[in-house]
mmCIF file of all heavy atoms in Angstrom:
data_model
loop_
_atom_site.group_PDB
_atom_site.id
_atom_site.type_symbol
_atom_site.label_atom_id
_atom_site.label_comp_id
_atom_site.label_asym_id
_atom_site.label_seq_id
_atom_site.Cartn_x
_atom_site.Cartn_y
_atom_site.Cartn_z
ATOM 1 N N GLY A 220 50.265 -170.670 186.584
ATOM 2 C CA GLY A 220 48.895 -170.565 186.095
ATOM 3 C C GLY A 220 48.026 -169.663 186.942
ATOM 4 O O GLY A 220 48.524 -168.811 187.680
ATOM 5 N N PRO A 221 46.701 -169.852 186.864
ATOM 6 C CA PRO A 221 45.793 -168.967 187.587
ATOM 7 C C PRO A 221 45.658 -169.330 189.067
ATOM 8 O O PRO A 221 45.589 -170.509 189.432
ATOM 9 C CB PRO A 221 44.456 -169.165 186.863
ATOM 10 C CG PRO A 221 44.534 -170.508 186.239
ATOM 11 C CD PRO A 221 45.990 -170.809 185.991
ATOM 12 N N TRP A 222 45.619 -168.308 189.880
ATOM 13 C CA TRP A 222 45.382 -168.442 191.320
ATOM 14 C C TRP A 222 44.124 -167.645 191.656
ATOM 15 O O TRP A 222 43.951 -166.524 191.160
ATOM 16 C CB TRP A 222 46.537 -167.848 192.126
ATOM 17 C CG TRP A 222 47.860 -168.529 192.017
ATOM 18 C CD1 TRP A 222 48.657 -168.635 190.905
ATOM 19 C CD2 TRP A 222 48.575 -169.162 193.081
ATOM 20 N NE1 TRP A 222 49.818 -169.298 191.221
ATOM 21 C CE2 TRP A 222 49.799 -169.632 192.549
ATOM 22 C CE3 TRP A 222 48.311 -169.372 194.434
ATOM 23 C CZ2 TRP A 222 50.746 -170.302 193.316
ATOM 24 C CZ3 TRP A 222 49.254 -170.031 195.208
ATOM 25 C CH2 TRP A 222 50.457 -170.500 194.646
ATOM 26 N N LEU A 223 43.304 -168.181 192.536
ATOM 27 C CA LEU A 223 42.145 -167.447 193.050
ATOM 28 C C LEU A 223 42.323 -167.259 194.552
ATOM 29 O O LEU A 223 42.449 -168.244 195.292
ATOM 30 C CB LEU A 223 40.856 -168.223 192.803
ATOM 31 C CG LEU A 223 40.282 -168.200 191.392
ATOM 32 C CD1 LEU A 223 39.102 -169.178 191.319
ATOM 33 C CD2 LEU A 223 39.815 -166.807 191.007
ATOM 34 N N PHE A 224 42.348 -166.017 194.972
ATOM 35 C CA PHE A 224 42.468 -165.697 196.393
ATOM 36 C C PHE A 224 41.096 -165.254 196.899
ATOM 37 O O PHE A 224 40.626 -164.166 196.567
ATOM 38 C CB PHE A 224 43.509 -164.596 196.603
ATOM 39 C CG PHE A 224 44.905 -165.049 196.277
ATOM 40 C CD1 PHE A 224 45.458 -164.794 195.026
ATOM 41 C CD2 PHE A 224 45.647 -165.757 197.208
ATOM 42 C CE1 PHE A 224 46.742 -165.233 194.718
ATOM 43 C CE2 PHE A 224 46.928 -166.205 196.910
ATOM 44 C CZ PHE A 224 47.480 -165.934 195.663
ATOM 45 N N ALA A 225 40.480 -166.107 197.699
ATOM 46 C CA ALA A 225 39.116 -165.836 198.162
ATOM 47 C C ALA A 225 39.073 -164.655 199.119
ATOM 48 O O ALA A 225 38.075 -163.969 199.226
ATOM 49 C CB ALA A 225 38.564 -167.068 198.868
ATOM 50 N N VAL A 226 40.154 -164.431 199.853
ATOM 51 C CA VAL A 226 40.202 -163.535 201.006
ATOM 52 C C VAL A 226 39.051 -163.961 201.946
ATOM 53 O O VAL A 226 38.877 -165.158 202.177
ATOM 54 C CB VAL A 226 40.209 -162.041 200.616
ATOM 55 C CG1 VAL A 226 40.785 -161.207 201.759
ATOM 56 C CG2 VAL A 226 41.078 -161.803 199.362
ATOM 57 N N ASP A 227 38.232 -163.038 202.438
ATOM 58 C CA ASP A 227 37.281 -163.434 203.484
ATOM 59 C C ASP A 227 35.959 -163.993 202.938
ATOM 60 O O ASP A 227 35.034 -164.245 203.707
ATOM 61 C CB ASP A 227 37.004 -162.264 204.438
ATOM 62 C CG ASP A 227 38.182 -161.997 205.360
ATOM 63 O OD1 ASP A 227 39.260 -162.540 205.104
ATOM 64 O OD2 ASP A 227 38.018 -161.239 206.337
ATOM 65 N N ALA A 228 35.889 -164.211 201.630
ATOM 66 C CA ALA A 228 34.728 -164.952 201.110
ATOM 67 C C ALA A 228 34.792 -166.404 201.572
ATOM 68 O O ALA A 228 33.775 -167.107 201.567
ATOM 69 C CB ALA A 228 34.688 -164.873 199.589
ATOM 70 N N ALA A 229 35.983 -166.864 201.962
ATOM 71 C CA ALA A 229 36.164 -168.202 202.545
ATOM 72 C C ALA A 229 37.439 -168.156 203.373
ATOM 73 O O ALA A 229 38.538 -168.133 202.830
ATOM 74 C CB ALA A 229 36.287 -169.262 201.456
ATOM 75 N N ASP A 230 37.291 -168.115 204.699
ATOM 76 C CA ASP A 230 38.473 -168.044 205.569
ATOM 77 C C ASP A 230 39.307 -169.324 205.482
ATOM 78 O O ASP A 230 40.536 -169.277 205.525
ATOM 79 C CB ASP A 230 38.049 -167.873 207.040
ATOM 80 C CG ASP A 230 37.677 -166.439 207.383
ATOM 81 O OD1 ASP A 230 37.777 -165.557 206.510
ATOM 82 O OD2 ASP A 230 37.281 -166.215 208.551
ATOM 83 N N LEU A 231 38.624 -170.464 205.438
ATOM 84 C CA LEU A 231 39.297 -171.754 205.605
ATOM 85 C C LEU A 231 39.051 -172.662 204.403
ATOM 86 O O LEU A 231 38.028 -172.532 203.716
ATOM 87 C CB LEU A 231 38.765 -172.463 206.860
ATOM 88 C CG LEU A 231 38.819 -171.674 208.169
ATOM 89 C CD1 LEU A 231 38.199 -172.497 209.292
ATOM 90 C CD2 LEU A 231 40.257 -171.290 208.514
ATOM 91 N N GLY A 232 39.938 -173.616 204.214
ATOM 92 C CA GLY A 232 39.705 -174.656 203.219
ATOM 93 C C GLY A 232 38.371 -175.343 203.447
ATOM 94 O O GLY A 232 37.662 -175.718 202.508
ATOM 95 N N GLU A 233 38.031 -175.494 204.713
ATOM 96 C CA GLU A 233 36.772 -176.140 205.096
ATOM 97 C C GLU A 233 35.539 -175.455 204.496
ATOM 98 O O GLU A 233 34.541 -176.108 204.169
ATOM 99 C CB GLU A 233 36.698 -176.101 206.626
ATOM 100 C CG GLU A 233 35.673 -176.987 207.226
ATOM 101 C CD GLU A 233 35.807 -177.002 208.756
ATOM 102 O OE1 GLU A 233 36.946 -177.076 209.279
ATOM 103 O OE2 GLU A 233 34.754 -176.938 209.406
ATOM 104 N N ASN A 234 35.580 -174.121 204.359
ATOM 105 C CA ASN A 234 34.449 -173.426 203.748
ATOM 106 C C ASN A 234 34.171 -173.978 202.348
ATOM 107 O O ASN A 234 33.022 -174.179 201.952
ATOM 108 C CB ASN A 234 34.723 -171.915 203.628
ATOM 109 C CG ASN A 234 34.826 -171.210 204.958
ATOM 110 O OD1 ASN A 234 35.904 -171.108 205.514
ATOM 111 N ND2 ASN A 234 33.719 -170.726 205.481
ATOM 112 N N PHE A 235 35.256 -174.232 201.608
ATOM 113 C CA PHE A 235 35.103 -174.740 200.246
ATOM 114 C C PHE A 235 34.724 -176.220 200.243
ATOM 115 O O PHE A 235 33.834 -176.640 199.508
ATOM 116 C CB PHE A 235 36.407 -174.561 199.468
ATOM 117 C CG PHE A 235 36.679 -173.126 199.105
ATOM 118 C CD1 PHE A 235 37.862 -172.515 199.481
ATOM 119 C CD2 PHE A 235 35.758 -172.396 198.371
ATOM 120 C CE1 PHE A 235 38.120 -171.194 199.138
ATOM 121 C CE2 PHE A 235 36.006 -171.071 198.029
ATOM 122 C CZ PHE A 235 37.196 -170.468 198.408
ATOM 123 N N ILE A 236 35.421 -176.992 201.067
ATOM 124 C CA ILE A 236 35.204 -178.441 201.047
ATOM 125 C C ILE A 236 33.777 -178.772 201.451
ATOM 126 O O ILE A 236 33.114 -179.610 200.832
ATOM 127 C CB ILE A 236 36.232 -179.134 201.975
ATOM 128 C CG1 ILE A 236 37.632 -178.990 201.373
ATOM 129 C CG2 ILE A 236 35.883 -180.606 202.175
ATOM 130 C CD1 ILE A 236 38.745 -179.272 202.361
ATOM 131 N N ASP A 237 33.281 -178.096 202.488
ATOM 132 C CA ASP A 237 31.925 -178.368 202.978
ATOM 133 C C ASP A 237 30.893 -177.407 202.391
ATOM 134 O O ASP A 237 29.740 -177.429 202.783
ATOM 135 C CB ASP A 237 31.888 -178.284 204.511
ATOM 136 C CG ASP A 237 32.769 -179.342 205.163
ATOM 137 O OD1 ASP A 237 33.075 -180.336 204.478
ATOM 138 O OD2 ASP A 237 33.152 -179.155 206.332
ATOM 139 N N ARG A 238 31.317 -176.549 201.478
ATOM 140 C CA ARG A 238 30.446 -175.533 200.865
ATOM 141 C C ARG A 238 29.677 -174.748 201.928
ATOM 142 O O ARG A 238 28.460 -174.581 201.851
ATOM 143 C CB ARG A 238 29.476 -176.225 199.904
ATOM 144 C CG ARG A 238 29.321 -175.486 198.568
ATOM 145 C CD ARG A 238 28.370 -176.206 197.638
ATOM 146 N NE ARG A 238 28.189 -175.470 196.409
ATOM 147 C CZ ARG A 238 28.912 -175.665 195.311
ATOM 148 N NH1 ARG A 238 29.858 -176.578 195.280
ATOM 149 N NH2 ARG A 238 28.684 -174.943 194.227
ATOM 150 N N LYS A 239 30.433 -174.252 202.912
ATOM 151 C CA LYS A 239 29.814 -173.479 203.998
ATOM 152 C C LYS A 239 30.307 -172.040 203.923
ATOM 153 O O LYS A 239 31.516 -171.804 203.916
ATOM 154 C CB LYS A 239 30.185 -174.076 205.350
ATOM 155 C CG LYS A 239 29.406 -175.341 205.644
ATOM 156 C CD LYS A 239 29.526 -175.740 207.096
ATOM 157 C CE LYS A 239 28.671 -176.956 207.379
ATOM 158 N NZ LYS A 239 29.244 -177.818 208.405
ATOM 159 N N PRO A 240 29.402 -171.071 203.903
ATOM 160 C CA PRO A 240 29.805 -169.672 203.811
ATOM 161 C C PRO A 240 30.407 -169.184 205.134
ATOM 162 O O PRO A 240 30.330 -169.880 206.145
ATOM 163 C CB PRO A 240 28.483 -168.955 203.508
ATOM 164 C CG PRO A 240 27.445 -169.807 204.126
ATOM 165 C CD PRO A 240 27.948 -171.229 203.999
ATOM 166 N N PRO A 241 30.977 -167.984 205.105
ATOM 167 C CA PRO A 241 31.481 -167.401 206.359
ATOM 168 C C PRO A 241 30.374 -167.390 207.412
ATOM 169 O O PRO A 241 29.191 -167.278 207.087
ATOM 170 C CB PRO A 241 31.858 -165.970 205.961
ATOM 171 C CG PRO A 241 32.035 -165.997 204.489
ATOM 172 C CD PRO A 241 31.142 -167.085 203.964
ATOM 173 N N GLY A 242 30.774 -167.468 208.665
ATOM 174 C CA GLY A 242 29.798 -167.525 209.748
ATOM 175 C C GLY A 242 29.172 -166.195 210.063
ATOM 176 O O GLY A 242 28.165 -166.134 210.768
#
Side-chain angles (χ1 to χ4, degrees):
W222 294 65
L223 283 173
F224 293 96
V226 202
D227 287 13
D230 280 358
L231 306 177
E233 194 173 317
N234 294 90
F235 287 124
I236 292 164
D237 297 340
R238 224 179 178 92
K239 284 194 177 148

